[in-house]
Amino acid sequence: MSLSALIDNPADVLANWPHEPRQFHRDPSSFRRLLTLAEVDELINADCLAMRNVVLLRDGKIFETWEYHDPADHGMPRCGAVREHINNGGSISLRELEQLKPSIAELYQELRRETGYGVHVNAYLTPPNCQGLKYHFDPYVTLVVQLAGSKTWPCHRPFVENPVQEYGSFHLTGFTREQKQYLANTPPEMSFTLSPGDVLWLPRGYVHSPYTEGNETSLHLTVAFKERTHHWLAQQIAEEILRQALEDPQMREELAPSTLLGDALPAVELARQYLIGALLHVDPADAVKYVQKAALRP
């Protein structure tokens, strides 16, 4: 299953990566092979989800693993703990689905080949009239694929421009006091209610707080693309230069402590000149080859 199974005009999207939310619709039956509510119930009732595959959430809280792991087997949740959590109004996030379901593995692999981006696919199950995560934002674009029930996504525009996992991520910084006040007192600028077959393109940085609608359990997939950035591109070129530098015996020569902690300027200048020279000698055609190879690396 490729990107065209999820969104309209995939070629245009791949050429002009959208920075505004977009909503698409597909025949709900086309998503049944991906994951169904019955399959998730079967996994839960059989207690065959490992700790690495499930995270418990409720009202904005992410539960610590010690709250539901099996003391006799740290790799598994306590027997019945996941079902009990859902019965008490909790949500679950299913992780690493590409290792559990062949159809999701196919989707995962095809999207990686199409985009050259890092991809992960999670599922979220939320009981009726409940909420898992509250306002937060992600450092990557997310495709929300609604499989069962309905869910509303109130959204605010990004507080942080182009957040990435290592910089400006909500998971690292949270919200400032002013941002919390804004969210508490400002209606969302936009809102999307998804029913089975709906797909929401949610760019990174958009602040969202989804909750279920109606009396049905909601199940959706989140297909997250870890976008390649100019910083990532520079990192690949720099890492290749440093890899090649290891072949030079002079670059493997030690720095004396008196050099490192004393007058380090000559050594720093030598390293600087080496890097400048190496950059000037990079063959752009060769760089394209190893950057593209890196983009498709698992």
Side-chain angles (χ1 to χ4, degrees), residues 34-35 97 104 121-123 143-145 147 219-223:
L34 290 174
L35 190 67
L97 289 175
I104 299 229
V121 183
N122 297 338
L143 269 181
V144 181
V145 182
L147 303 176
L219 176 66
H220 74 264
L221 293 180
T222 61
V223 180

Side-chain angles (χ1 to χ4, degrees), residues 5-296:
L6 304 176
I7 66 171
D8 302 336
N9 303 316
D12 179 60
V13 166
L14 291 171
N16 303 283
W17 203 243
H19 295 102
E20 297 280 338
R22 296 185 183 181
Q23 189 169 343
F24 308 94
H25 183 74
R26 293 292 184 269
D27 183 342
S29 64
S30 66
F31 294 150
R32 285 181 191 144
R33 63 186 295 265
L34 290 174
L35 190 67
T36 67
L37 203 51
E39 289 174 321
V40 175
D41 281 334
E42 187 176 11
L43 288 169
I44 294 168
N45 293 335
D47 282 312
C48 60
L49 290 168
M51 291 295 293
R52 64 185 176 85
N53 296 130
V54 63
V55 174
L56 305 189
L57 320 159
R58 186 168 59 224
D59 295 329
K61 175 188 176 183
I62 300 176
F63 283 58
E64 299 286 348
T65 55
W66 59 263
E67 296 183 75
Y68 56 98
H69 81 258
D70 183 352
D73 184 352
H74 290 278
M76 298 296 293
R78 189 175 64 256
C79 183
V82 177
R83 175 57 66 194
E84 178 185 2
H85 175 75
I86 294 170
N87 290 343
N88 289 332
S91 297
I92 64 169
S93 171
L94 300 179
R95 310 293 176 92
E96 300 184 17
L97 289 175
E98 68 276 5
Q99 298 181 21
L100 291 175
K101 189 97 191 298
S103 59
I104 299 229
E106 178 191 337
L107 174 68
Y108 164 82
Q109 292 162 4
E110 185 61 29
L111 294 180
R112 287 188 64 251
R113 284 192 292 266
E114 279 189 283
T115 63
Y117 284 176
V119 174
H120 67 258
V121 183
N122 297 338
Y124 287 83
L125 182 150
T126 305
N129 303 306
C130 291
Q131 186 170 28
L133 295 173
K134 295 190 176 181
Y135 273 125
H136 66 287
F137 62 89
D138 298 307
Y140 39 72
V141 67
T142 299
L143 269 181
V144 181
V145 182
Q146 193 69 28
L147 303 176
S150 295
K151 205 162 202 179
T152 292
W153 293 72
C155 297
H156 292 270
R157 292 188 176 277
F159 293 143
V160 179
E161 184 178 4
N162 296 331
V164 293
Q165 195 73 39
E166 303 81 5
Y167 180 87
S169 169
F170 173 79
H171 306 292
L172 292 176
T173 63
F175 290 127
T176 66
R177 180 179 177 183
E178 292 75 14
Q179 289 167 349
K180 291 178 181 177
Q181 290 177 339
Y182 175 86
L183 293 173
N185 295 287
T186 308
E189 184 174 344
M190 60 200 82
S191 185
F192 305 88
T193 297
L194 307 185
S195 298
D198 288 335
V199 179
L200 174 64
W201 177 283
L202 192 64
R204 59 179 159 146
Y206 270 79
V207 182
H208 52 281
S209 179
Y211 56 86
T212 55
E213 291 278 5
N215 297 316
E216 296 181 11
T217 295
S218 168
L219 176 66
H220 74 264
L221 293 180
T222 61
V223 180
F225 296 99
K226 186 175 182 183
E227 296 148 305
R228 308 304 189 188
T229 64
H230 290 284
H231 179 273
W232 176 88
L233 182 64
Q235 182 181 25
Q236 304 313 305
I237 295 172
E239 287 180 354
E240 179 63 16
I241 287 173
L242 293 176
R243 186 194 66 76
Q244 294 178 13
L246 285 174
E247 299 174 9
D248 183 344
Q250 184 178 2
M251 293 300 290
R252 301 197 304 269
E253 184 179 339
E254 75 280 353
L255 290 168
S258 60
T259 298
L260 187 63
L261 300 178
D263 184 11
L265 185 59
V268 168
E269 184 60 27
L270 180 64
R272 177 176 173 273
Q273 291 299 325
Y274 180 91
L275 291 172
I276 291 172
L279 280 169
L280 290 174
H281 283 86
V282 167
D283 184 327
D286 287 341
V288 167
K289 291 177 182 178
Y290 58 73
V291 164
Q292 290 180 341
K293 184 178 180 181
L296 295 174

